[in-house]
Amino acid sequence: MDFGYTSDQQDLRQQIQAFMDENVTQGLLDEMEGGEEGGRGPQYRELVKKVADKGWIGISWPKEYGGQSGSRIDQYIVEEEFMRRGIAVGGAGSGAPAILAAGTEEQKEFFIPGMIRGEIIFALGFTEPQAGADLAGLQCRAVRDGDDFVINGQKMYTSAAHYASHIYMMCRTDPDAPRHRGISIFLVPMDTPGITVRPLWTIQSDPPAPPGTTYGMVRTNETFFENVRIPASSMLGEENGGWYVGAMGLNLDRVGASRYLISVRRDEDIVNWVKENDFNGYSPADNPAVRDKLAEMWTEAQVCRLMTMRSMSLVNRDGNFTYEGSAEKVWAPEHGVKTTEAISQMLGPYAQLLSNSEENIEDGLFAHNLMGSFQSGINHGSVQIMRDQMARRGLGMPRG
Amino acid sequence: MAKDVVCGKEIDEDQARAQSSQTSFGASEVDPTQGTRIFHDGQWLYFCGLDCRGKFLASPETYLA
């Protein structure tokens, strides 16, 4: 068993790094701190176009839909290198896996090439004010009316709604069915009449978190649907089969660099900082307690990396895995919290100075990470829900 | 005008739903200071903010009695 990369993959990594040295400018990073377009302003869109022209988005997606039918590991390398600079491109967390698995030919031909070109961005519309961890309690209704559905309800924490072109949303289509069986998924254009977005400013908004912060989004939203009429062809998968499509899609979206790097980047950031800086007149790299803690964190990070590699290997072979994504979703955020706590102990009060403090470290990155790391254990499926999934799917235990 | 069933404050439904700006892909944005709402049992209920809505959701029967 070889856990290393091939020479072609190492070449790919070097090409990406060289590309980013040339194209990830300070102007782009400054733009990414802005909230109105979620960091996806004109310079970001220009970068995505260049990345798409390189053939680096959705490498593992099928050729017939604009991808390259390539290795999931290659795609991971793209995601990893861009995420190290705080830039989400490459294909992870996009909704594409669910569309490829459950979509109609028409949906695949429309959405996948659009996502590769960076022209289609999905907001995730699952959580509701009264249904988050208990997602099956969602109440947003979609009622069939001839060849259409009419949606009424609201979604909460639709973090991409202010820059998304579409929303990938769960609705209740059969209120009389058992909770998990009366749900369908719809792919809805954000400019459909009746959709309104209400901004919610996060703990990271004032002062704004620097690029690369764990859960550094300055803005999230709630989104309302009032008599939103959409064609029945907007449905992804079978009517009332949305729970299973959604769960499968979420699991696949968890595979890749985003989960691994969301916490491991913290280890890399502090190791790099410790090696390159003096702190209060001494080199922290010479401090045995600091060295010991960093080595411990690094070891834990390698567990996370191996879990990610195993998931991608499974996806590469048959596209089917059950609890592995959930396991990563527990390990990585909890490791990230431990890391940010350890960094706070190393840096003392400096770890609390935010981006607008003149004496901050690394533009306040470690302080903003301290706030964001705890969020990573809640978003996109809490660690408690993930443990429940592992108990059922991985260990064969009954539903609790 | 609608009434926040938790705190009693009057909410202008039209203002709460009025477009104040537009997202980059053409979705209508509303002014967050004009209150929020929820679709409950087939009708929209309006609230001054998330706190009141959260209290309502924890015990709807208390406020709709």
Side-chain angles (χ1 to χ4, degrees):
Chain A
M1 189 172 291
D2 182 3
F3 291 112
Y5 296 105
T6 66
S7 59
D8 284 348
Q9 288 168 339
Q10 289 168 358
D11 287 345
L12 173 64
R13 190 182 292 279
Q14 288 172 358
Q15 288 174 37
I16 298 164
Q17 289 170 345
F19 172 87
M20 285 194 295
D21 288 342
E22 185 179 340
N23 291 283
V24 178
T25 63
Q26 189 58 47
L28 170 66
L29 295 174
D30 290 344
E31 179 189 276
M32 289 178 63
E33 283 196 17
E36 286 307 312
E37 295 186 87
R40 267 78 165 171
Q43 294 185 70
Y44 173 84
R45 293 196 287 272
E46 180 62 26
L47 179 81
V48 170
K49 186 172 181 305
K50 288 182 182 175
V51 178
D53 289 344
K54 288 277 188 185
W56 289 341
I57 297 181
I59 287 176
S60 68
W61 300 349
K63 273 186 179 169
E64 59 263 44
Y65 308 119
Q68 297 184 38
S69 299
S71 155
R72 186 65 183 83
I73 305 291
D74 289 1
Q75 185 169 318
Y76 168 86
I77 290 169
V78 178
E79 296 165 6
E80 180 179 349
E81 287 306 317
F82 277 96
M83 287 202 71
R84 279 212 165 85
R85 308 268 182 125
I87 301 169
V89 298
S94 58
I99 294 173
L100 286 168
T104 62
E105 273 305 304
E106 188 179 19
Q107 287 170 336
K108 292 177 197 175
E109 287 172 2
F110 176 75
F111 286 109
I112 303 300
M115 294 170 80
I116 288 173
R117 293 192 301 269
E119 295 167 0
I120 291 177
I121 301 170
F122 278 103
L124 188 63
F126 283 14
T127 301
E128 296 182 8
Q130 75 291 346
D134 181 26
L135 186 59
L138 66 88
Q139 294 179 13
C140 188
R141 287 280 280 119
V143 178
R144 188 179 270 279
D145 181 21
D147 291 335
D148 297 336
F149 277 87
V150 178
I151 301 175
N152 276 287
Q154 62 283 300
K155 294 292 176 181
M156 193 73 182
Y157 304 126
T158 47
S159 300
H162 55 295
Y163 60 83
S165 62
H166 292 73
I167 185 164
Y168 167 96
M169 64 185 298
M170 273 187 173
C171 295
R172 189 160 297 287
T173 41
D174 183 355
D176 299 322
R179 295 192 332 153
H180 296 80
R181 293 181 187 160
I183 292 170
S184 303
I185 288 182
F186 296 92
L187 309 172
V188 182
M190 285 298 294
D191 60 357
T192 308
I195 296 180
T196 49
V197 178
R198 180 174 182 254
L200 299 171
W201 300 100
T202 75
I203 196 172
Q204 303 283 17
S205 63
D206 187 17
T213 301
T214 299
Y215 280 98
M217 301 90 73
V218 301
R219 176 182 168 175
T220 182
N221 309 281
E222 54 180 345
T223 303
F224 303 100
F225 301 83
E226 188 170 355
N227 295 321
V228 173
R229 181 175 289 273
I230 53 168
S233 59
S234 306
M235 185 184 290
L236 178 65
E238 294 183 4
E239 186 169 351
N240 298 321
W243 180 261
Y244 306 99
V245 174
M248 175 267 295
L250 282 177
N251 221 10
L252 287 170
D253 273 343
R254 289 189 185 110
V255 176
S258 60
R259 198 58 57 197
Y260 162 61
L261 279 178
I262 208 165
S263 57
V264 172
R265 264 199 70 183
R266 308 289 76 86
D267 300 288
E268 296 180 353
D269 290 340
I270 190 64
V271 167
N272 289 335
W273 189 87
V274 159
K275 287 195 294 189
E276 293 168 5
N277 289 277
D278 283 344
F279 186 54
N280 286 345
Y282 80 99
S283 167
D286 293 333
N287 183 323
V290 169
R291 295 159 64 93
D292 185 81
K293 180 56 75 175
L294 291 178
E296 177 188 330
M297 294 191 311
W298 192 257
T299 305
E300 282 197 9
Q302 297 318 302
V303 176
C304 191
R305 177 175 177 274
L306 291 173
M307 291 171 84
T308 300
M309 291 296 173
R310 180 167 183 272
S311 293
M312 285 189 301
S313 172
L314 285 169
V315 170
N316 232 12
R317 274 185 284 160
D318 60 14
N320 181 34
F321 66 92
T322 52
Y323 68 91
E324 291 82 359
S326 305
E328 286 174 50
K329 179 65 180 61
V330 170
W331 185 271
E334 292 188 344
H335 171 66
V337 169
K338 281 197 282 185
T339 298
T340 53
E341 287 177 340
I343 291 171
S344 298
Q345 289 178 340
M346 289 179 207
L347 302 181
Y350 291 94
Q352 298 177 40
L353 302 183
L354 297 167
S355 63
N356 61 346
S357 174
E358 290 182 4
E359 294 174 283
N360 66 30
I361 294 174
E362 298 291 297
D363 200 19
L365 178 67
F366 298 119
H368 285 274
N369 282 337
L370 188 57
M371 295 191 289
S373 63
F374 290 92
Q375 189 67 26
S376 67
I378 300 168
N379 284 31
H380 214 268
S382 71
V383 293
Q384 290 81 12
I385 295 293
M386 295 300 105
R387 284 197 170 91
D388 182 63
Q389 291 180 355
M390 289 158 62
R392 286 187 287 112
R393 297 173 186 163
L395 303 177
M397 294 183 178
R399 186 181 290 277
Chain B
M1 299 286 270
K3 189 175 178 181
D4 181 329
V5 295
V6 175
C7 71
K9 185 178 175 182
E10 287 198 329
I11 310 294
D12 185 329
E13 305 109 300
D14 290 339
Q15 286 296 314
R17 297 162 62 241
Q19 178 175 321
S20 60
S21 57
Q22 205 172 41
T23 71
S24 49
F25 279 98
S28 175
E29 287 192 293
V30 297
D31 179 353
T33 66
Q34 297 299 316
T36 187
R37 51 183 165 146
I38 193 167
F39 193 66
H40 181 82
D41 278 349
Q43 62 173 330
W44 288 98
L45 300 178
Y46 290 79
F47 300 89
C48 65
L50 300 182
D51 188 39
C52 280
R53 191 177 70 188
K55 287 174 181 167
F56 170 79
L57 287 169
S59 181
E61 63 282 3
T62 301
Y63 299 102
L64 294 179

